[in-house]
Amino acid sequence: MLVDLAGGWNPLVGRLAWSQIPYDNPILAPLFVAVVLGALMLLGLITYYGKWTYLWREWLTTVDHKKLGIMYIIIGLVMLFRGFIDGLMIRTQQAWAVGSQSSGVFGALHGYLTPFHFGQIYSAHGLIMILLAATPLLVGFMNIIVPIQIGARDMAYPYLNALGLWLTAAAGALIMISLFIGDFAHNGWFGYAPIFELQYSPGVGVDYWMWTLQLVALGTTLGGINILSTIIKMRAPGMTWGRLPIFVWASLSANVIALTSFPALQVALALVAADRYLGAHFFTAGLGGNLMLYTNLFWIWGHPEVYFVILPAFGMMSEIFPTFSEKPLFGYVTMVLASIAIAGVSWLVWLHHFFTMGAGPYVNSAFSVATMLVGIPTGVKVFNWAFTMYRGRLTFNAAMLWAIGALFLLLIGGLTGMMLAIPAINYMVHNSVFVVAHFHSMLMVIVYAIFASVIYWFPKVFGFKLDEFWAKTMFWLFSAGTALVFVPMYMLGFMGMTRRLDYVFNTAWQPYLLVMELGIVVYMFSVFAFFALLYVSIRDHAKNRVGADAWGTSRSLEWITHSPVPFYNFAVVPQINARDEAAWRRENGLEHIQPDHYDDIHMPNNTGVAIILGGLSFTLGFALTWRIWWLCLLSLIAIIALVIYRSFKGDPGYILTAAELEKMEQEAIRRASRIDGGHHLRPVRGDGWAQERADLPAAGTLYGLSSPMDHHK
Amino acid sequence: MSHGHDDPTLHPEVQMSTSRGYFLGFAISSVLMLVATFLVTSHSMPPFGLLMVISACAAIAIIAQIYFLLHIDTSEHNIWNAVALVLFMPLFLITIGLTWWMFSQLYLHTMIMPGMPAMVH
């Protein structure tokens, strides 16, 4: 042992002990019982209905990018719910523990949470919301939509894609298990030196935090590599860079950020691990350590990361506004350049997270100007969206409402961001809840864009639309909650309330805190509305079935294939003729044209390796947290051996024959024509109408003959 | 259907590797590391000169490794790797350079000068 550990350690179970299980905690113990009962019930139901084989074959071992994307989104939504509950607990504590007269229960002097427990909750809230809710939700959407938008059959590396998902799931499992075994970090989601050093945080909380971050960083980096390779190498014939849908451009720039910045986080955390496990002194207060170097390294990743999450959200908005304005996106080229500019500038601004470090006027001014530069490409985007809607034929359905909500929040978050970019103001409101309100506004842009996308792309993935009434109800409840929570938070920030208070000394702030509590209750109703939305939509799904072009005004390539998208995406890889291919085909009366013959296609096989590697990574993270060295070694060897085994085994894939393909396609076409009513899907050959017009390409060129699996060989 | 992908050793990246290249890359980086280690342990140079020399050694070792071990060049098969590396360079310079600048300014303002007696514990 290179470091002194507080508490016991034994070679068999490391630092684990019965006393680490919080069975005496009045909040966690009932929750634990509920979770165990819920899990048993779920497992029982799966067994009762005999769904284990189905689950293993169709989901747990799948390499289909759409199913992986759906699982990413499910993980994201579950973690979003967990993060929301953390938020609810924070708001309740702050509304309760105000002034010295406030009561206290469950061992707390004021409110119902002890300071140590409260610290864990806000740390978990931040980490979960950014890395295990927003990130998986966005990666999930990129996973589902990007390959279909570029006319590919799957990702460039389907197995790597599955591995990325299961590493993210392992990270989620690790942070969830910290609820019931041991405790979580209390150093905020980004961590501070030297409080996370072993002598100040002797428990396992910081270790849970560190290894969770490492796992999610690894998973996201692998996902980023995959999406980049897919966009560069797997585009359908005719899908030139100038015709790439804008969401693909946004994903491209976002994943360039992910690929370049996540390693900085992993290095920073590896150095923290060296301090905590090997007794090194990178970030200690003495012995040559440098406290601020940690903050510096963290935000070198941390700031690019916030653009990694906002850029796909911008891409989603850029898809939704044109569809429901019935106009092409205004300023495509400037939109692309703005995305790339944001990605570039994201690397030049990280010091604005610690202006108050005291680097002096020159450094602060330079980073202040760089930060304000971000406003230029972002402003370009906002104006482009506004001009897209200007004189458009607007449809205010639920997806559009969420997207417009995102636009308003971007305005609020962006303008307060400009204020914070000024060091003089930053010094005044540093560490106040004003900052918290600002970055919540920005993250709400992402949440709004995600719910807009859930509604917008749901029919493409599942073949039926979500219920409009409940989607709109959820929108209005959510927006009311947002206003009630964050307007008072901005005001309290100006009044000087600092963040992360487990006890609020100033009773004058109580009215605002109570309004915020009301806001979070309204948020809870929007969560109920979301459950109702899912229930009602699934109940009525037969009524709400849609054809390929679910909205009738869609523009990009994903809308020309069937809804739900078959597992091979496109029976024949389409030939791309225009920037907005679906709109182009519709305007030229070509949308119902189907290929007249099919070729064999080459598809990847399912694999159980990815989920096993995910499980082993979770074991490794857990063993490292509790310092069970034999288990660390065992799981690490197993991971390496399995990776080598899979590399040598490879995957020859399998052939889907033209006959099988034709049968499935005929079925899909029959289903679609029942929904579309009068429309007839016409085969290309023998269709005179399209070929009579000289300005259109011969209809035979609408579908290329090669599949992407062939075409990159 | 499954032509070309069956044998991974036929990939151009794999074909580019030679044992001579790997040996050269390993030898060059080992020699440079030994030189740097010797200079540091023998205290035979003033601190600034030492910093310059070991930085130069590190730079040469990096180039040798990129060329001999990673095979990054401008050939048709590896141009994307070269592009990725070139695009990565500015980020490297930005993060290291700006970090150096902000910390030197910080030390100036907090009067912690590297090498000051207060820093030696």
Side-chain angles (χ1 to χ4, degrees):
Chain A
M1 227 23 103
L2 293 158
V3 289
D4 295 325
L5 287 176
W9 179 87
N10 79 61
L12 191 62
V13 294
R15 304 181 79 187
L16 270 175
W18 285 114
S19 58
Q20 296 286 353
I21 308 217
Y23 48 79
D24 53 346
N25 184 308
I27 297 165
L28 289 174
L31 182 66
F32 180 66
V33 174
V35 167
V36 169
L37 288 179
L40 283 178
M41 207 164 78
L42 190 68
L43 298 180
L45 281 175
I46 296 171
T47 314
Y48 180 78
Y49 288 106
K51 290 286 182 194
W52 280 111
T53 325
Y54 164 79
L55 205 61
W56 178 255
R57 279 220 192 112
E58 295 293 319
W59 293 93
L60 301 181
T61 61
T62 188
V63 290
D64 180 343
H65 70 99
K66 297 172 291 294
K67 286 181 179 167
L68 292 172
I70 291 167
M71 286 190 281
Y72 261 119
I73 290 171
I74 291 172
I75 293 175
L77 287 175
V78 169
M79 297 311 282
L80 189 69
F81 184 68
R82 153 94 205 263
F84 164 73
I85 297 295
D86 287 335
L88 177 71
M89 292 175 81
I90 296 169
R91 290 269 54 81
T92 308
Q93 171 73 10
Q94 287 195 341
W96 183 345
V98 186
S100 55
Q101 301 304 310
S102 57
S103 60
V105 293
F106 299 161
L109 205 54
H110 299 281
Y112 70 109
L113 295 170
T114 57
F116 182 63
H117 193 181
F118 186 76
Q120 293 178 47
I121 289 171
Y122 64 66
S123 306
H125 172 78
L127 180 63
I128 285 172
M129 285 305 205
I130 291 171
L131 282 154
L132 288 160
T135 303
L137 282 165
L138 295 168
V139 172
F141 274 107
M142 291 192 270
N143 240 306
I144 297 174
I145 301 303
V146 166
I148 318 180
Q149 277 195 337
I150 60 170
R153 289 238 164 81
D154 207 316
M155 286 284 203
Y157 310 113
Y159 153 67
L160 189 71
N161 199 11
L163 186 57
L165 170 82
W166 292 112
L167 285 175
T168 308
L174 197 60
I175 198 170
M176 289 307 243
I177 207 161
S178 75
L179 273 175
F180 306 122
I181 306 176
D183 41 41
F184 193 67
H186 56 120
N187 53 10
W189 80 274
F190 48 82
Y192 288 98
I195 193 173
F196 56 48
E197 295 291 350
L198 197 60
Q199 69 252 53
Y200 308 113
S201 297
V204 293
V206 177
D207 303 322
Y208 268 126
W209 167 80
M210 192 164 70
W211 300 118
T212 301
L213 267 172
Q214 284 282 24
L215 282 179
V216 78
L218 187 61
T220 311
T221 312
L222 296 180
I225 292 169
N226 210 347
I227 290 171
L228 287 177
S229 324
T230 307
I231 296 172
I232 291 167
K233 298 296 271 189
M234 305 278 285
R235 282 168 292 140
M239 181 59 86
T240 56
W241 290 107
R243 288 177 182 162
L244 222 50
I246 207 77
F247 180 68
V248 178
W249 271 114
S251 307
L252 184 80
S253 41
N255 281 295
V256 168
I257 300 178
L259 181 63
T260 49
S261 67
F262 267 98
L265 172 70
Q266 295 193 290
V267 168
L269 291 168
L271 298 181
V272 178
D275 279 8
R276 284 183 65 89
Y277 284 76
L278 308 174
H281 291 276
F282 289 105
F283 308 126
T284 52
L287 300 167
N290 189 331
L291 314 180
M292 288 313 290
L293 190 59
Y294 171 76
T295 307
N296 180 58
L297 282 174
F298 185 90
W299 289 112
I300 284 178
W301 162 77
H303 200 84
E305 156 71 12
V306 303
Y307 292 133
F308 167 66
V309 288
I310 200 94
L311 278 171
F314 288 168
M316 292 163 167
M317 291 158 75
S318 307
E319 295 288 341
I320 290 166
F321 286 131
T323 301
F324 299 114
S325 306
E326 301 190 25
K327 272 173 69 187
L329 183 72
F330 183 90
Y332 173 89
V333 175
T334 51
M335 211 60 148
V336 171
L337 292 177
S339 298
I340 294 168
I342 290 174
V345 178
S346 78
W347 275 90
L348 295 167
V349 301
W350 79 91
L351 178 116
H352 71 217
H353 293 270
F354 47 104
F355 269 142
T356 52
M357 173 172 82
Y362 301 121
V363 173
N364 281 1
S365 313
F367 278 93
S368 167
V369 172
T371 304
M372 289 184 199
L373 281 180
V374 180
I376 297 171
T378 314
V380 167
K381 280 175 177 278
V382 171
F383 280 110
N384 279 346
W385 291 322
F387 284 129
T388 304
M389 287 188 277
Y390 177 65
R391 297 194 132 178
R393 205 175 290 128
L394 301 183
T395 316
F396 290 101
N397 59 10
M400 187 67 165
L401 287 182
W402 281 103
I404 291 173
L407 195 53
F408 273 94
L409 279 162
L410 177 62
L411 211 58
I412 297 168
L415 290 175
T416 49
M418 282 293 125
M419 292 166 69
L420 288 166
I422 301 166
I425 296 180
N426 199 292
Y427 266 78
M428 300 301 289
V429 293
H430 173 79
N431 215 31
S432 75
V433 293
F434 185 81
V435 180
V436 179
H438 155 71
F439 68 70
H440 277 84
S441 297
M442 294 311 287
L443 286 161
M444 280 295 164
V445 174
I446 298 163
V447 176
Y448 272 67
I450 284 170
F451 281 117
S453 303
V454 167
I455 295 160
Y456 179 63
W457 277 309
F458 192 89
K460 181 57 19 195
V461 177
F462 293 102
F464 60 95
K465 283 187 186 177
L466 287 171
D467 186 77
E468 272 290 305
F469 169 78
W470 281 105
K472 283 185 176 168
T473 307
M474 184 195 171
F475 168 78
W476 288 113
L477 285 170
F478 198 92
S479 300
T482 304
L484 287 171
V485 170
F486 294 108
V487 172
M489 197 184 280
Y490 277 119
M491 294 163 85
L492 283 173
F494 277 140
M495 294 176 199
M497 179 172 158
T498 48
R499 64 196 290 195
R500 296 169 175 157
L501 293 181
D502 60 281
Y503 165 71
V504 181
F505 65 90
N506 190 342
T507 48
W509 293 339
Q510 190 158 36
Y512 300 88
L513 293 165
L514 288 173
V515 172
M516 287 155 86
E517 179 71 14
L518 175 68
I520 202 100
V521 171
V522 176
Y523 264 134
M524 195 152 70
F525 284 113
S526 82
V527 175
F528 293 146
F530 182 63
F531 291 141
L533 169 67
L534 291 181
Y535 172 73
V536 170
S537 307
I538 293 169
R539 190 192 64 193
D540 298 344
H541 71 277
K543 276 195 296 198
N544 297 324
R545 287 212 179 280
V546 290
D549 184 357
W551 303 103
T553 55
S554 319
R555 309 199 66 83
S556 42
L557 188 65
E558 76 269 31
W559 302 102
I560 74 163
T561 186
H562 309 295
S563 308
V565 184
F567 63 91
Y568 44 82
N569 291 359
F570 297 92
V572 174
V573 173
Q575 171 77 38
I576 313 303
N577 303 281
R579 184 174 289 162
D580 288 339
E581 182 70 11
W584 181 88
R585 290 189 181 205
R586 190 172 54 240
E587 279 153 21
N588 292 305
L590 303 169
E591 75 268 38
H592 293 297
I593 287 185
Q594 293 293 324
D596 67 334
H597 78 285
Y598 302 96
D599 289 324
D600 292 355
I601 53 180
H602 182 208
M603 298 295 295
N605 280 316
N606 282 3
T607 173
V609 174
I611 187 172
I612 297 171
L613 282 177
L616 288 169
S617 308
F618 168 79
T619 312
L620 179 61
F622 186 79
L624 280 166
T625 301
W626 291 95
R627 301 177 196 236
I628 312 169
W629 303 126
W630 63 268
L631 191 57
C632 289
L633 201 66
L634 204 66
S635 45
L636 192 62
I637 289 171
I639 288 171
I640 294 169
L642 198 54
V643 168
I644 292 174
Y645 165 74
R646 161 79 198 190
S647 308
F648 276 96
K649 191 168 149 281
D651 175 27
Y654 69 96
I655 301 294
L656 187 65
T657 62
E660 289 172 289
L661 190 62
E662 183 157 9
K663 217 172 114 211
M664 283 188 279
E665 278 295 291
Q666 292 305 333
E667 177 54 36
I669 290 167
R670 259 200 304 283
R671 207 170 52 230
S673 59
R674 273 203 298 277
I675 301 158
D676 283 359
H679 293 292
H680 296 289
L681 298 154
R682 296 165 301 199
V684 173
R685 203 164 294 161
D687 180 71
W689 184 84
Q691 283 160 332
E692 277 164 26
R693 288 179 50 186
D695 56 322
L696 300 178
T701 61
L702 288 174
Y703 288 95
L705 294 176
S706 61
S707 72
M709 295 286 277
D710 288 335
H711 133 120
H712 72 142
K713 276 176 192 167
Chain B
M1 206 64 203
S2 52
H3 44 85
H5 264 232
D6 290 344
D7 188 358
T9 59
L10 293 177
H11 277 237
E13 309 88 87
V14 181
Q15 291 288 304
M16 288 172 83
S17 63
T18 56
S19 41
R20 192 177 143 270
Y22 283 119
F23 179 75
L24 256 176
F26 178 70
I28 292 172
S29 7
S30 307
V31 167
L32 287 167
M33 204 165 72
L34 285 175
V35 168
T37 314
F38 170 76
L39 288 175
V40 172
T41 48
S42 64
H43 300 282
S44 54
M45 290 180 82
F48 185 75
L50 186 66
L51 196 68
M52 289 296 111
V53 174
I54 58 175
S55 301
C57 287
I60 298 169
I62 287 173
I63 292 167
Q65 286 174 11
I66 285 173
Y67 186 75
F68 288 114
L69 304 185
L70 302 178
H71 309 296
I72 290 178
D73 54 31
T74 52
S75 68
E76 195 199 337
H77 306 110
N78 269 347
I79 186 75
W80 271 106
N81 291 328
V83 167
L85 186 71
V86 168
L87 289 177
F88 179 72
M89 282 297 176
L91 297 182
F92 194 71
L93 294 177
I94 284 168
T95 46
I96 307 287
L98 289 180
T99 299
W100 171 79
W101 183 45
M102 70 173 75
F103 277 87
S104 63
Q105 292 284 309
L106 177 71
Y107 289 156
L108 207 65
H109 288 92
T110 50
M111 293 185 292
I112 311 167
M113 297 303 218
M116 265 173 56
M119 283 292 282
V120 181
H121 293 271

